[in-house]
Amino acid sequence: MEAILRDSIHHSLRDFLHRNAIFLCERLCAEFPSETNLQLLAGCYLHSNQAYAAYHILKGTQVAQSRYLFAMSCYQMNLLNEAEAALCPANEPNAEVPNGAAGHYLLGLIYRYTDRRKSAIHHFKQALTIDPSMWAAYEELCVLGSAEEAAVVFGEAAALSIQKQHLHHGSASQSSLTINDDCNLVSGRNLSFEDVSPRQLKLMQGSNTRDSSGNSHAILGGVSGQPTNGSSNISFYNTPSPMPMQLSGIAPPPVCRNALPNGLNLSSSTDSSPRSTMSSTVQAGRRKFVDEGKLRKVANNESAIRLISSRLSFDSGNRRSNRLAAEAGANTNASASMAAGNVTTNSSKFGSTKLGSVARSLTSRKGQPWANENLDEGIRNETFDDSRSNTASISGFTPTSDTRYLEQDGASLPIGGGIMLTSKVISGASEIMNLLRTLGEGYRLSCLYKCQDALDIYLKLPYKHYNTGWVLCQVGKAYFELLDYFEADRAFSLARQASPYSLEGMDIYSTVLYLLNEDMKLSYLAQELVSTDRLAPQSWCAMGNCYSLQKDHETALKNFQRAVQLNSKFTYAHTLCGHEYVALDDFENGIKSYQSALRLDARHYNSWFGLGMIYFRQEKFEFAEHHFRMANQINPCSSVIASNLGTALHALKRSEEALFIMEKAIRADEKNPVPMYQKANILMSLEKFDEALAVLEELNEYSPRESSVHALMGRIYKRRNMHDKAMLHFGIALDLKPSTTDVTAIKAAIERLLVPDELEDNL
């Protein structure tokens, strides 16, 4: 009953029938109460976004996997202190973090959001060390500005780690699958494979149990207890399957009968059917046990003997039946002593060997392949074609003359009923790391705001990867940081075409459209996003930008606050709230919003810049200079930030330092006229009139219709007592239709044109 319920629960979870899985899992826990089953129930609730239910189910549990699930539920409920206590118990300071790489990643997130940056970085790096494919951990390191070069993280050592994990997982899984198959074959002694479905064969196998020390015990018929999950790297809903050691009247075939050391071959005949082979096995070995001596010998020689056949030849002859009968007779006396004293067997001897045992190629009928599925281990077996299934039998495989060692090219490893070449595993791991290396380096450079370098890296990607939603969004963000809003618009539009269902980066896209004054496109985008997912913060950020473009700042603020309400960890929504508060002259709440954003991400330069602008408008120039400098340290390539930093330094009478910063701002973006204008303004204050006029003349060539440029030139000519030229440029400035404030200032300057500078200062 327990096995059937577990089977049905896993099927429901795979089919996203969460309500059905929860109902069945409650029945499972009521009938077979154990912490392992509670883990499964908690996992079902987490799948259905009911973290509070998982929290109450697992509170107080001590098993490693239970603590991880409890910590995950706490994290989703924003109970970060409890989540940390579950992963790192105070009474066990040296305890291992549960669930391997995933556990370290979760702990890194907890430390990040509790403002412990160094600890967060340590655990993200640990997660990557354990599992180099943990991309999310590398993303977090990039966001924190502490990621190593992708060539180091996703290098040869990472590829080798992936290979070892994959090969080890495959060999352990195949050993477990082989043992289960042997039991299935014998337990259905009166049934032919033409009459029995794979599900029926699986369910005929009785559940077995393992104690907490990892030893497997023989159980007479049915289920007795539950396996204890003590592993730290097991998936959420997958508990270890105990090795079957049976004391029933039916003997399982020798587990490692096909693992032949020293390359020995078996000769075979072809005049016996699968049914007759199985029947002879059953009749000959009614009280036969697994030959423990052979298993021990094979396990001990594993490191020396790694002989795997690259071709499989299946034998179904009488010779195998005779051999099984002979072995059964020889072991009849030994079985009694084994039952008395050697019932407990270390399961590692089964799971660790990399030698193939029984080839899993069973067909229900000719021309109809059977794809069996091991639900406990989560491995789906490959379906064989007709040509292979016609030669299939239960006898195992015979190494041919093409046998090679595993280390040689072309060696093969049985995985999930199929054959996966070791060379393919090696090349596959290398290809994955090469891809992650390119993506990782591009993302790292983007987070360091070396955006042009990041764009160059992304161009190295294959076409099929470059034209995916995620990559195109990263390209759009890079152009956005480079202030190339037209290219950013183009990249984001392509991203929408590639992944119209994805909301990744759409908050930035809405800001791009805002800055381009594309009110129609922005309105359409906001409506599309809200109709796609009303509970996504990106949707409400786009809606807020739409209202902000219409100068409806109060409504825009409400939309941004809605985004924060939906996801309090969405940093950009806090920053946008701050912008709207500033537009409403509510500096106090603006400061609070920017600070909330910085608590989530200390490298979010937009918030540092926003705080600097508030303090500058309040004429708190020292505070403004500090916040502009922090933003400049995070994003040294931004011309806008450097220009404002120079302006703050000039306000603090640090003009020489301000000139140096302005030069950097000009080099960062020669198309930006603001740094050149501010440089001319600083030069004028230093009475370097000729240099200031030279800068303004150059700027006038780039931006001939800037009224502020001509107004500043008029002021310089006035200081040099060249009133005719001053009047000329003041007139040009007025003709260019400046803002109301600038019009007032220019007219006041014209009125005082003949007033000496000394008297003007007194006025």
Side-chain angles (χ1 to χ4, degrees):
M1 177 179 178
E2 184 175 15
I4 295 173
L5 284 173
R6 280 182 166 275
D7 187 13
S8 300
I9 292 165
H10 285 295
H11 269 294
S12 295
L13 289 175
R14 274 196 296 273
D15 295 334
F16 303 99
L17 302 175
H18 300 144
R19 183 178 177 184
N20 191 63
I22 291 171
F23 175 81
L24 293 176
C25 205
E26 286 181 345
R27 308 285 74 74
L28 176 67
C29 292
E31 188 72 26
F32 304 99
S34 69
E35 188 164 327
T36 303
N37 289 338
L38 286 178
Q39 291 174 13
L40 185 56
L41 178 59
C44 292
Y45 278 116
L46 283 172
H47 255 290
S48 60
N49 295 322
Q50 299 182 49
Y52 52 87
Y55 173 86
H56 289 289
I57 289 170
L58 295 174
K59 190 173 180 63
T61 54
Q62 298 299 323
V63 176
Q65 184 68 10
S66 298
R67 290 192 288 115
Y68 174 77
L69 291 173
F70 179 73
M72 178 60 73
S73 64
C74 290
Y75 177 78
Q76 293 184 11
M77 297 170 66
N78 207 30
L79 302 174
L80 301 185
N81 290 333
E82 288 190 59
E84 181 185 354
L87 293 173
C88 300
N91 56 348
E92 299 179 30
N94 297 323
E96 183 179 357
V97 177
N99 215 32
H104 282 284
Y105 173 71
L106 178 57
L107 191 56
L109 289 177
I110 293 168
Y111 285 137
R112 177 192 166 186
Y113 290 121
T114 52
D115 201 21
R116 286 174 284 179
R117 185 173 178 272
K118 290 184 178 179
S119 297
I121 292 170
H122 168 73
H123 284 284
F124 288 139
K125 288 183 177 180
Q126 283 290 104
L128 275 172
T129 301
I130 298 171
D131 183 5
S133 65
M134 183 67 75
W135 169 260
Y138 189 74
E139 272 190 326
E140 293 293 336
L141 287 172
C142 290
V143 170
L144 291 171
S146 299
E148 297 180 280
E149 291 186 4
V152 176
V153 178
F154 303 112
E156 294 181 1
L160 183 61
S161 176
I162 292 289
Q163 294 167 24
K164 289 181 178 179
Q165 290 178 15
H166 197 79
L167 293 174
H168 175 73
H169 172 74
S171 62
S173 300
Q174 179 65 16
S175 299
S176 175
L177 290 170
T178 299
I179 294 169
N180 291 337
D181 279 351
D182 291 342
C183 297
N184 283 341
L185 294 178
V186 180
S187 63
R189 60 175 181 254
N190 294 323
L191 299 173
S192 66
F193 290 108
E194 288 81 357
D195 302 324
V196 183
S197 68
R199 179 68 59 84
Q200 288 171 321
L201 276 176
K202 182 172 182 63
L203 296 182
M204 284 191 295
Q205 176 183 336
S207 298
N208 299 280
T209 188
R210 177 187 296 176
D211 65 4
S212 59
S213 64
N215 297 325
S216 299
H217 296 279
I219 305 297
L220 289 171
V223 180
S224 176
Q226 294 295 326
T228 301
N229 184 359
S231 175
S232 63
N233 57 357
I234 281 179
S235 65
F236 278 121
Y237 318 110
N238 209 7
T239 53
S241 299
M243 294 298 173
M245 286 290 293
Q246 299 181 352
L247 283 176
S248 63
I250 301 173
V255 174
C256 297
R257 60 181 178 276
N258 295 313
L260 300 178
N262 303 323
L264 298 178
N265 293 336
L266 292 175
S267 61
S268 61
S269 59
T270 59
D271 58 353
S272 178
S273 66
R275 187 180 299 187
S276 63
T277 303
M278 183 174 65
S279 177
S280 63
T281 302
V282 172
Q283 296 298 327
R286 286 196 174 275
R287 291 287 177 179
K288 185 177 179 302
F289 291 83
V290 177
D291 190 338
E292 189 177 12
K294 291 184 179 180
L295 292 178
R296 184 178 293 110
K297 182 177 179 180
V298 171
N300 291 338
N301 291 331
E302 177 190 356
S303 59
I305 306 171
R306 304 180 65 183
L307 198 60
I308 305 295
S309 174
S310 61
R311 298 180 182 176
L312 294 182
S313 175
F314 298 92
D315 119 44
S316 59
N318 290 329
R319 180 166 183 170
R320 179 180 176 281
S321 301
N322 296 335
R323 176 174 58 80
L324 290 174
E327 288 181 357
N331 290 323
T332 301
N333 294 332
S335 64
S337 61
M338 289 175 65
N342 294 326
V343 173
T344 302
T345 304
N346 192 334
S347 62
S348 64
K349 297 175 183 177
F350 294 91
S352 62
T353 178
K354 291 186 179 179
L355 299 176
S357 51
V358 178
R360 297 170 52 83
S361 176
L362 303 175
T363 57
S364 58
R365 53 182 60 85
K366 184 175 180 179
Q368 181 177 347
W370 173 28
N372 189 22
E373 186 180 36
N374 189 320
L375 298 175
D376 290 337
E377 296 298 331
I379 298 172
R380 189 180 300 276
N381 301 327
E382 295 179 5
T383 303
F384 293 89
D385 59 22
D386 292 345
S387 62
R388 293 179 65 182
S389 63
N390 289 340
T391 62
S393 73
I394 314 172
S395 60
F397 70 86
T398 302
T400 66
S401 58
D402 293 328
T403 300
R404 298 289 184 269
Y405 286 97
L406 183 63
E407 289 79 1
Q408 296 178 358
D409 184 44
S412 60
L413 179 69
I415 295 181
I419 301 299
M420 177 172 286
L421 296 176
T422 304
S423 60
K424 289 186 177 180
V425 175
I426 295 173
S427 64
S430 178
E431 289 172 3
I432 292 171
M433 289 300 107
N434 285 336
L435 180 60
L436 292 181
R437 197 176 303 133
T438 305
L439 291 169
E441 187 63 14
Y443 189 75
R444 186 184 73 88
L445 291 172
S446 291
C447 290
L448 294 176
Y449 300 102
K450 299 178 180 179
C451 297
Q452 189 57 57
D453 294 338
L455 290 172
D456 295 339
I457 294 294
Y458 286 133
L459 287 174
K460 296 179 181 179
L461 286 169
Y463 180 82
K464 57 188 175 183
H465 285 287
Y466 185 88
N467 285 283
T468 56
W470 187 88
V471 174
L472 288 171
C473 278
Q474 299 307 315
V475 171
K477 289 178 181 178
Y479 280 121
F480 169 73
E481 296 296 345
L482 291 172
L483 307 181
D484 191 345
Y485 301 132
F486 291 103
E487 283 298 319
D489 181 15
R490 179 174 171 273
F492 279 118
S493 296
L494 292 174
R496 288 288 293 166
Q497 295 175 20
S499 304
Y501 49 83
S502 176
L503 275 66
E504 171 74 25
M506 291 301 102
D507 49 323
I508 302 296
Y509 185 27
S510 67
T511 301
V512 170
L513 296 177
Y514 171 89
L515 294 169
L516 290 173
N517 289 315
E518 293 279 1
D519 53 346
M520 293 295 292
K521 290 178 69 173
L522 179 55
S523 177
Y524 180 71
L525 174 67
Q527 292 181 34
E528 270 198 327
L529 296 180
V530 170
S531 63
T532 300
D533 188 356
R534 295 183 62 86
L535 300 180
Q538 294 92 336
S539 302
W540 296 101
C541 285
M543 190 65 74
N545 276 328
C546 187
Y547 281 107
S548 183
L549 187 58
Q550 303 300 324
K551 308 300 180 184
D552 188 353
H553 298 296
E554 291 183 357
T555 307
L557 179 60
K558 291 179 181 178
N559 283 276
F560 294 140
Q561 289 172 336
R562 173 62 174 157
V564 171
Q565 184 183 32
L566 289 169
N567 185 355
S568 61
K569 295 184 177 67
F570 198 75
T571 307
Y572 194 45
H574 290 279
T575 300
L576 291 173
C577 284
H579 293 342
E580 295 307 309
Y581 278 123
V582 171
L584 294 169
D585 292 329
D586 188 352
F587 295 149
E588 183 178 354
N589 282 316
I591 290 173
K592 290 180 180 178
S593 293
Y594 289 137
Q595 289 175 342
S596 296
L598 291 175
R599 276 193 292 269
L600 294 170
D601 182 5
R603 297 188 71 253
H604 191 64
Y605 77 87
N606 311 69
S607 293
W608 288 108
F609 181 78
L611 287 169
M613 290 298 294
I614 290 176
Y615 290 126
F616 190 86
R617 289 180 62 178
Q618 292 177 338
E619 298 186 358
K620 298 178 180 179
F621 299 125
E622 290 185 355
F623 286 174
E625 184 264 336
H626 167 73
H627 288 87
F628 285 141
R629 192 175 294 279
M630 291 296 296
N632 184 249
Q633 289 176 2
I634 296 168
N635 185 1
C637 300
S638 173
S639 174
V640 176
I641 296 174
S643 175
N644 280 275
L645 174 59
T647 304
L649 289 169
H650 177 53
L652 291 170
K653 310 299 182 184
R654 293 157 62 179
S655 298
E656 294 297 332
E657 189 178 353
L659 276 176
F660 175 75
I661 296 295
M662 287 301 175
E663 290 290 346
K664 290 180 61 177
I666 294 170
R667 288 194 299 271
D669 184 7
E670 295 180 355
K671 297 179 181 179
N672 185 6
V674 176
M676 295 185 70
Y677 176 81
Q678 294 295 344
K679 177 183 177 182
N681 203 10
I682 295 171
L683 289 170
M684 187 188 75
S685 67
L686 295 174
E687 297 186 353
K688 298 180 180 180
F689 301 127
D690 292 337
E691 294 181 37
L693 285 171
V695 172
L696 290 172
E697 290 289 349
E698 182 182 358
L699 180 57
N700 190 43
E701 294 180 4
Y702 290 121
S703 304
R705 299 192 61 82
E706 283 290 337
S707 63
S708 56
V709 173
H710 289 281
L712 184 58
M713 292 176 73
R715 289 169 57 193
I716 293 174
Y717 281 122
K718 178 180 179 297
R719 295 282 297 272
R720 297 184 66 180
N721 295 320
M722 301 171 68
H723 302 298
D724 292 339
K725 287 190 175 182
M727 189 63 190
L728 172 64
H729 286 283
F730 283 141
I732 294 174
L734 287 174
D735 291 340
L736 292 174
K737 297 181 180 180
S739 64
T740 305
T741 305
D742 290 340
V743 167
T744 304
I746 293 171
K747 287 183 177 180
I750 293 174
E751 291 174 358
R752 291 194 292 265
L753 185 60
L754 300 177
V755 178
D757 293 336
E758 295 80 7
L759 296 177
E760 184 178 350
D761 293 338
N762 295 330
L763 292 175

